[in-house]
């Protein structure tokens, strides 16, 4: 017997509304009460704060988790001022040691208050935490909260990388602002040496930990659960070296010209002109290292390896069609391997495709309003979570971009990404 109009009298109704995105973006085995504390550890200028901020951004945006960093240096500056000499960090100076412990305890206290609040949340305690005694105190203090704790230790024994970190990350901070660069560098080195004298490397007595050595070697010990494993996966893709990526929308497409969304149309004449100009930019800017002679002012331009990513759609591929794919005879990776590098060897990625509009694909917004007035109204109410019938929502797009972010994090070379406009 064929079904009648009311064949589904008790439909499955999701609380977010019809066609909305009922996604638990935290996924996996993560419950609504799971909490994680990340305790950063390592000598100064090993990239702790950089990595802490990377982790926090990743968890808060892609996993929609309440994440907050508690930087002990910020608390120390509020209590005792930003300009503190290297002698302040001498562990034999009992008075200064007590002040530093006071700043640590203030940060720990506020982290604990944050972690006591309801819901999934991640707190990051960003400090050197160089002594095992301090790390034991932190773990003991957190015990009653019944949250998972991971220690992330950053180790750097390459002098050129340490110097790079000091000069690029520390010299611009409030502590050394307007100070002679060489004097500031020497002061920070003395501060670092004070910590070396008392440093206890992380080991099994610290419980779950991730040890990052020169951003090349990773030791993972006793980490379990959804959240800790997500952190492990992300950290293994992060590095502290500077890199740049360029974002370009595709050139004007035939659908752009008539106001249609989605589809897989080619470029207009204006779009092809844009693609030619983008090719010049890629050749002269993206794929070139430019060094300026301080004395003569002359620029030295040297080719550098560069990558090209597009979506799988015709309009982005055509936008990249004029970019030259020349060869760099040999290129040496940081692990010592040598390869023959092809510049801008295109990689089409489905993750970069435009939001799929399902039954509305290929229509103008006016046509959607006329043909599907209820869907049009639902989308206007909440564009973030609204999912087109048989299509996607912005939340879906965000989730499929997670792997792209991981690839960007681990890539060392400049990347030119030719993508799509987010439909308004």
């Amino acid at each position: 017997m064929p079904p009648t109009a009311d064949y589904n009298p008790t439909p499955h109704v999701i609380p977010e509304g019809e066609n909305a995105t009922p996604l638990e973006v935290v996924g996996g085995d993560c419950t609504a009460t799971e909490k994680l504390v990340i305790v950063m550890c390592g000598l100064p200028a090993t990239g702790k704060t950089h990595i802490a901020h990377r982790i926090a951004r990743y968890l808060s945006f892609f996993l929609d988790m309440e994440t907050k960093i508690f930087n002990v240096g910020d608390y120390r500056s509020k209590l005792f001022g930003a300009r503190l000499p290297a002698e302040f960090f001498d562990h034999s100076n009992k008075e200064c040691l007590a002040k530093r412990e006071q700043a640590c305890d203030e940060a720990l206290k506020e982290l604990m208050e944050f972690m006591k609040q309801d819901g999934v949340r991640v707190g990051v305690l960003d400090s050197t935490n160089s002594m095992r005694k301090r790390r034991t105190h932190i773990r003991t203090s957190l015990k009653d909260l019944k949250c998972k704790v991971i220690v992330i230790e950053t180790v750097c024994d390459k002098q050129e990388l340490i110097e790079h970190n000091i000069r690029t990350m520390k010299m611009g901070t409030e502590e050394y602002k307007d100070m002679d660069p060489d004097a500031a560098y020497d002061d920070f080195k003395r501060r670092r040496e004070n910590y070396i004298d008392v440093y206890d490397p992380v080991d099994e007595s610290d419980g779950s930990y991730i040890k990052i050595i020169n951003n090349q070697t990773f030791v993972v010990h006793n980490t379990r659960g959804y959240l800790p494993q997500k952190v492990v996966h992300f950290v293994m893709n992060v590095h502290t070296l500077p890199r740049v990526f360029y974002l370009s929308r595709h050139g004007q497409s035939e659908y752009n010209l008539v106001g249609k969304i989605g589809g897989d149309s080619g470029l207009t004449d204006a779009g092809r002109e844009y693609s030619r100009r983008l090719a010049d930019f890629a050749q002269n800017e993206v794929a070139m290292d430019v060094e300026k002679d301080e004395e003569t002012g002359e620029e030295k331009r040297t080719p550098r390896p560069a990558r090209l990513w597009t979506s799988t759609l015709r309009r982005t591929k055509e936008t990249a069609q004029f970019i030259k794919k020349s060869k760099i005879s040999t290129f040496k990776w940081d692990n010592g391997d040598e390869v023959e590098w092809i510049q801008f060897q295109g990689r089409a990625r489905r993750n970069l495709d435009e939001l799929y509009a399902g039954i509305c694909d290929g229509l103008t917004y006016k046509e959607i309003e006329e043909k599907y007035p209820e869907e049009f109204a639902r989308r206007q109410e909440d564009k973030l979570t609204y999912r087109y019938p048989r299509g996607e929502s912005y939340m879906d797009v965000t989730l499929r971009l997670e792997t792209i972010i991981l690839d960007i994090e681990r890539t060392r070379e400049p990347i030119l990404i030719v993508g799509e406009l987010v439909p308004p």
Side-chain angles (χ1 to χ4, degrees), residues 98-113:
K99 289 180 177 179
R100 298 206 319 274
E101 289 180 346
Q102 181 184 346
C104 290
D105 289 338
E106 282 291 322
L108 180 58
K109 177 184 175 183
E110 292 199 11
L111 180 144
M112 291 171 65
E113 291 300 319

Side-chain angles (χ1 to χ4, degrees), residues 23-31 34 63 65 226-227:
L23 294 175
E24 288 288 348
V25 292
V26 294
D29 294 326
C30 191
T31 67
E34 186 163 348
L63 301 185
M65 293 180 179
Y226 176 78
L227 265 178

